[in-house]
Amino acid sequence: MLNPGSGPIRGMGMKLLVSAVFLFLTIGGLYYRVRTERLNRNSPGKEVRETRFYMDTFVEIIIVSPDKKKAREAMNEAFAVFGELERKFSFYNSHNLLQDTNSRSEVPVSDIDLEAVLSRGFEFAGKTGGRFDITLGAVKQLYPIGKENPKPPERRDVEKALSLSGYKKASLKEGKLTKPQGMLIDTGGILKGYGVDRAIEALQKRGIKNVLVNAGGNIRTLGKNGEGEAWRIGVEHPRAPGSKMIAVLELDNRAVATSGDYQRYFFYDGKRYHHIIDPETGEPANRAISATVIAPDAITADALSTAVFVMGRKEGLKFLEDNGLEGIIIDGNGAEATDGLGKEVKIDY
Ligand code: AMP
Ligand code: MG
């Protein structure tokens, strides 16, 4: 007779536990900030879920469907979207579409993803008064985040890189991108959200109605989770990521993203140098420590979480409210939500 809790069952349980702990530590602790709360512990039978690594980030897809084969096929297609975007847009890859775009000052834009990312990128730059700007690549590459013995750049190098940056110096017209030689496009603030939307589209085409896609904290959901309830998303505490949450959001056919200073950074002389650049100074933006945006689609949540992080609490919340969006911004003095959201969720910070 099988002894409950032993043999293959216990073996599988251990495996699941180990991978859950691994996921928790990596997604929660290292880089990422918005994570799914209650990862469907009670309803594994109805779900197909998998996490893969693309674009320097963990991409997690959870599909609720009785038809496992159909769910798997749809999931593979959705993951392929991220694989394709990674190939095209990896910033440090020397042979890809982005590199080719960055090496020239006049670029015919025929690739559909490049066209979409650039046109949406410039659109968000215009809407946010340039707080979100996809032309900051020359500045970004001065900060050796993730490298050994990182050091902040010299001011004169930052100024030179800034002189090559700025969305107003570039134009996208009639299928052609024109920009100063040396300006580097960086899609890091928008590509994950774009990928999530494209993946959701691919899943919908395959008839998937209940799903969550999470690309490094850029999350979009459709329908309900495996328990037939709204998907629940935990917003991490920026100073205790992975162990404490400041709010739990219920997401119904919407998207959420968080930008934070604790995701990618290094310390030098006791100061934190993180990955979100204030386009005015070329230095890491210092008006917020975390910004979460809820929007109808993932590209909007992604671009605007980066933008309102740069804006800071006061200006960022006003921007969200003026645009009919919800969000939470945290700075050194505390956390604050847009009025609409404040009525729905309790923030514990
Ligand atoms: P996110 O995690 O979505 O806030 O995006 C941060 C990434 O976007 C960085 O790692 C950079 O690649 C890029 N980035 C940094 N600052 C900005 C900015 N002000 N506007 C647009 N993209 C930015
Ligand atoms: Mg972003």
Side-chain angles (χ1 to χ4, degrees):
M1 216 173 82
L2 258 183
N3 181 8
S6 75
I9 293 178
R10 194 168 72 179
M12 210 168 88
M14 273 306 284
K15 247 195 210 160
L16 279 176
L17 183 69
V18 169
S19 54
V21 168
F22 171 72
L23 254 181
F24 181 74
L25 289 177
T26 43
I27 294 187
L30 207 56
Y31 289 141
Y32 308 118
R33 54 295 184 183
V34 179
R35 67 191 165 86
T36 49
E37 152 83 333
R38 189 155 50 108
L39 293 170
N40 303 286
R41 283 191 295 262
N42 302 326
S43 53
K46 296 179 194 144
E47 291 165 5
V48 177
R49 60 187 304 150
E50 194 176 328
T51 301
R52 297 187 196 170
F53 196 73
Y54 290 110
M55 313 195 307
D56 236 0
T57 236
F58 286 96
V59 179
E60 177 188 33
I61 301 179
I62 309 171
I63 296 176
V64 182
S65 167
D67 186 341
K68 297 283 176 295
K69 187 165 170 278
K70 177 175 134 183
R72 277 274 159 223
E73 284 168 4
M75 182 176 272
N76 285 336
E77 234 172 76
F79 275 128
V81 167
F82 292 98
E84 196 186 341
L85 293 178
E86 175 180 77
R87 273 193 301 283
K88 288 180 180 174
F89 292 100
S90 168
F91 186 75
Y92 292 109
N93 189 328
S94 51
H95 298 289
N96 66 6
L97 181 65
L98 184 64
Q99 186 65 34
D100 182 47
T101 304
N102 279 340
S103 66
R104 297 195 267 164
S105 56
E106 294 210 353
V107 194
V109 180
S110 53
D111 181 88
I112 164 174
D113 294 317
L114 181 63
E115 207 283 324
V117 168
L118 289 175
S119 62
R120 297 304 309 273
F122 286 124
E123 179 194 328
F124 286 116
K127 275 193 180 146
T128 62
R131 306 289 211 197
F132 179 86
D133 193 334
I134 54 167
T135 71
L136 292 168
V139 182
K140 169 196 166 102
Q141 67 177 10
L142 296 176
Y143 292 90
I145 296 174
K147 307 260 166 66
E148 256 178 64
N149 301 320
K151 255 188 174 180
E154 300 288 334
R155 187 63 211 163
R156 62 172 182 277
D157 292 332
V158 172
E159 268 158 25
K160 180 155 185 273
L162 271 180
S163 75
L164 297 168
S165 308
Y167 72 104
K168 286 187 181 159
K169 297 173 194 151
S171 79
L172 180 66
K173 262 191 229 131
E174 288 149 23
K176 197 168 89 181
L177 172 70
T178 310
K179 60 184 178 53
Q181 192 68 38
M183 172 182 277
L184 302 180
I185 302 291
D186 165 32
T187 61
I190 193 172
L191 192 66
K192 293 193 277 289
Y194 175 71
V196 169
D197 287 338
R198 272 206 48 203
I200 286 279
E201 215 177 279
L203 291 159
Q204 270 177 318
K205 272 197 194 135
R206 287 262 179 174
I208 301 297
K209 296 193 172 63
N210 299 292
V211 61
L212 177 148
V213 180
N214 174 7
N218 293 269
I219 298 176
R220 185 166 166 189
T221 66
L222 295 177
K224 305 273 189 237
N225 71 14
E227 292 155 52
E229 295 167 352
W231 294 98
R232 301 175 77 214
I233 315 294
V235 181
E236 286 186 334
H237 192 300
R239 291 294 173 259
S243 62
K244 201 171 164 204
M245 284 185 284
I246 62 147
V248 176
L249 310 171
E250 294 208 336
L251 218 60
D252 48 346
N253 300 316
R254 281 186 297 172
V256 62
T258 296
S259 292
D261 71 358
Y262 57 94
Q263 293 157 356
R264 294 170 197 252
Y265 62 90
F266 62 85
F267 272 101
Y268 187 83
D269 264 354
K271 190 175 163 210
R272 185 192 293 260
Y273 292 85
H274 63 80
H275 69 315
I276 301 169
I277 295 158
D278 185 336
E280 268 171 25
T281 62
E283 313 261 335
N286 59 12
R287 295 189 201 93
I289 59 182
S290 158
T292 298
V293 172
I294 303 170
D297 53 45
I299 194 170
T300 306
D302 190 1
L304 295 185
S305 68
T306 309
V308 300
F309 182 96
V310 175
M311 290 176 193
R313 188 159 143 189
K314 198 164 162 253
E315 186 187 329
L317 288 174
K318 183 174 181 314
F319 176 87
L320 292 178
E321 287 183 347
D322 287 350
N323 287 279
L325 298 167
E326 306 291 355
I328 306 168
I329 301 179
I330 304 176
D331 64 13
N333 298 317
E336 201 176 336
T338 46
D339 284 346
L341 192 65
K343 287 187 195 108
E344 270 176 60
V345 295
K346 190 175 161 290
I347 294 167
D348 174 20
Y349 181 72

